[in-house]
Amino acid sequence: MKKTNPPYSWLTISLWGICFIGYFIVSAQVAASPKQRMAAFYKWYGKTDAIPFEGDCYEADGVDVTKMDMKCIQKYIKSMEATGLFSSIYIKNLQQEFIKKQADIKKDGYAAGVDYDRYTLSQDPPTDKDLLAALNNSSTTAISGNKAKVVVNLKHPYKISYIYSLDLENNIWKISKIESK
């Protein structure tokens, strides 16, 4: 019998397989850049009906919180977590903030309320369109390992810089801190 060589050897097939698998692993590792994740955050922010309102969980006297519905707060935190935009660090800090408010109410009869937009740290927040324009035209991104910082310089309707710290969790960039200056 005559022995024929197959058109591809096992070595060739194996090498091609390794290349394709390696490519897909690298591609799947980080699906979106920090800047792309911030764009997703701003698009979510623009859908005001999608944003839970923590004020629904409070009874207040002016800006002072006098009573909190902790079941409502837990639902609020779970809805924030479900967006996939916020890191476990952000969620943990949020939980600690509400625990402190609850302790302050128990001790003093009230706790300081939040009288500004939590996501823009402003009483007169810019629109999602203004934020996206600033992200695309005047922002910087710095990545160091599994940490990133996106600085968005907003010039319209007023001048402010937003500093977003992101952490890489399960290969997804998530917001861990929001600051402004």
Side-chain angles (χ1 to χ4, degrees), residues 38 41 85-87 90 165-166 173-178:
M38 290 310 306
F41 169 71
L85 295 167
F86 301 95
S87 73
Y90 185 93
S165 298
L166 293 94
W173 290 106
K174 296 183 179 185
I175 298 169
S176 55
K177 189 174 185 181
I178 301 171

Side-chain angles (χ1 to χ4, degrees), residues 8 18 47 54 67 92 98 113 117 123 147 170 179:
Y8 295 104
I18 291 169
K47 297 177 184 174
E54 69 186 79
K67 187 176 181 184
K92 184 177 179 179
F98 291 126
D117 179 79
Q123 289 181 336
K147 305 258 184 221
N170 299 321
E179 300 172 282

Side-chain angles (χ1 to χ4, degrees), residues 1-168:
M1 282 185 125
K2 189 176 178 186
K3 192 174 181 183
T4 60
N5 290 331
Y8 295 104
S9 70
W10 285 108
L11 178 61
T12 303
I13 293 171
S14 297
L15 289 174
W16 277 105
I18 291 169
C19 291
F20 281 121
I21 290 170
Y23 171 77
F24 288 117
I25 289 172
V26 169
S27 297
Q29 280 183 352
V30 180
S33 70
K35 188 173 177 177
Q36 290 168 323
R37 291 295 290 168
M38 290 310 306
F41 169 71
Y42 288 151
K43 288 174 186 172
W44 170 80
Y45 178 76
K47 297 177 184 174
T48 54
D49 57 333
I51 300 173
F53 180 58
E54 69 186 79
D56 290 341
C57 302
Y58 299 150
E59 285 183 24
D61 181 13
V63 295
D64 292 332
V65 177
T66 56
K67 187 176 181 184
M68 292 175 50
D69 179 346
M70 291 310 283
K71 285 183 183 180
C72 180
I73 292 292
Q74 289 307 315
K75 185 177 176 185
Y76 169 76
I77 290 171
K78 288 211 181 296
S79 67
M80 296 299 297
E81 206 169 12
T83 66
L85 295 167
F86 301 95
S87 73
S88 59
I89 293 167
Y90 185 93
I91 298 299
K92 184 177 179 179
N93 288 339
L94 194 59
Q95 289 170 330
Q96 292 302 314
E97 177 184 328
F98 291 126
I99 288 168
K100 183 179 180 333
K101 283 184 191 300
Q102 186 70 8
D104 288 348
I105 292 169
K106 191 173 187 177
K107 179 182 171 206
D108 302 326
Y110 68 94
V114 177
D115 63 345
Y116 55 87
D117 179 79
R118 181 176 289 281
Y119 312 107
T120 61
L121 310 176
S122 171
Q123 289 181 336
D124 186 22
T127 67
D128 59 313
K129 289 172 183 52
D130 289 334
L131 291 166
L132 279 166
L135 178 67
N136 291 325
N137 298 317
S138 60
S139 68
T140 58
T141 303
I143 301 172
S144 178
N146 63 351
K147 305 258 184 221
K149 221 175 251 298
V150 177
V151 178
V152 179
N153 299 303
L154 189 71
K155 296 175 183 164
H156 178 74
Y158 45 83
K159 189 175 178 179
I160 188 168
S161 293
Y162 291 108
I163 303 124
Y164 298 94
S165 298
L166 293 94
D167 285 304
L168 192 60

